[in-house]
Amino acid sequence: MAPSGPGSSARRRCRRVLYWIPVVFITLLLGWSYYAYAIQLCIVSMENTGEQVVCLMAYHLLFAMFVWSYWKTIFTLPMNPSKEFHLSYAEKDLLERESRGEAHQEVLRRAAKDLPIYTRTMSGAIRYCDRCQLIKPDRCHHCSVCDKVNNCVGFSNYKFFLLFLAYSLLYCLFIAATDLQYFIKFWTNGLPDTQAKFHIMFLFFAAAMFSVSLSSLFGYHCWLVSKNKSTLEAFRSPVFRHGTDKNGFSLGFSKNMRQVFGDEKKYWLLPIFSSLGDGCSFPTCLVNQDPEQASTPAGLNSTAKNLENHQFPAKPLRESQSHLLTDSQSWTESSINPGKCKAVGWMK
């Protein structure tokens, strides 16, 4: 490891400042939008008292939910693997003495035999992080910038990120809809030539522009949740012991939603953590292999034998995840029919 000095420390501080620029920009934009909408549009431009009250009440509700979800997104850590995935000193020493090859993998296999992991590398090896010196949990990836960026999105704040996208979209749509009639008056010279006139114009443009971009991003993440995919898994399907499976973590739309938002619907719309699980182990969906794929190393080339030898769960799961699979009949049906095995998403 390269020695750290004053120069590297200064570079780290500069990078931290640069990575916080988006947060500062959003904060300033939000502050201006509050002034433009609440003061210049509602108080200065609206003449109907009832319209003022309704718009201000609805606006402040959306504003509060937007700020709350954004705050939780940027200040909730994505979560780190638990201690059980770290190698012991003896295992680390043994691993360092082994060259990259079968002996190296044998050490990792012994260390991972009691861990709830199902995924492998493209070559079928145990997923291991050399930098952190731990066995990677399923769906876990090393982030080289999470100690510098304002935050990353992971298991513990993914729900908050989705709510942030939802409330920011509603916030922009609400502003654009209620500002539209005054924006039209601007072009038809129906508004007096005051400072409020220009705030109203730019407020509508900004709200409409962000609504378009946010709707695309929010729609994409809704699709990820419905399919139980992370952003990385959408581009590169996870590899299991029985082969590559793009729907390997999909449990069906309802269970996928519950895995992200939890069992209690009263918490779904609130930026309160209610996701199921611990971020280190996930229920998997056993689906049919493509008949054209090569047989697995264990020779499991039929669905029946695959299910027989890989009864779920092969490794211990946390109670909050295992209860998603209490209906054994529906689980077997979805395992046999990939068409019924759809749904959720994780970590971006």
Side-chain angles (χ1 to χ4, degrees), residues 120-254:
R120 299 290 186 267
T121 65
M122 293 299 294
S123 62
I126 299 292
R127 298 172 66 244
Y128 177 73
C129 181
D130 292 299
R131 181 169 177 178
C132 300
Q133 293 187 311
L134 56 79
I135 295 172
K136 292 183 181 180
D138 289 342
R139 320 185 81 177
C140 177
H141 299 274
H142 182 90
C143 179
S144 60
V145 297
C146 61
D147 57 338
K148 307 181 186 72
V149 74
N150 56 77
N151 208 4
C152 296
V153 178
F155 172 78
S156 61
N157 62 357
Y158 186 45
K159 177 192 172 184
F160 305 147
F161 177 69
L162 286 172
L163 292 178
F164 161 65
L165 293 179
Y167 285 123
S168 58
L169 177 58
L170 290 175
Y171 180 78
C172 291
L173 289 174
F174 175 80
I175 289 177
T178 53
D179 187 32
L180 179 59
Q181 59 175 315
Y182 297 93
F183 177 76
I184 294 174
K185 289 180 180 180
F186 170 84
W187 291 107
T188 58
N189 296 319
L191 289 178
D193 193 10
T194 62
Q195 182 184 15
K197 183 176 182 178
F198 297 97
H199 282 290
I200 290 171
M201 179 187 71
F202 288 114
L203 185 64
F204 178 81
F205 273 126
M209 178 183 66
F210 280 107
S211 294
V212 174
S213 58
L214 285 169
S215 61
S216 301
L217 184 59
F218 180 62
Y220 175 66
H221 278 278
C222 286
W223 177 79
L224 289 176
V225 171
S226 72
K227 298 297 182 182
N228 200 352
K229 296 177 184 287
S230 68
T231 306
L232 291 174
E233 290 167 354
F235 292 97
R236 186 179 61 194
S237 299
V239 180
F240 296 85
R241 284 171 293 182
H242 63 276
T244 301
D245 189 347
K246 64 179 181 180
N247 294 317
F249 292 105
S250 182
L251 306 178
F253 181 80
S254 176

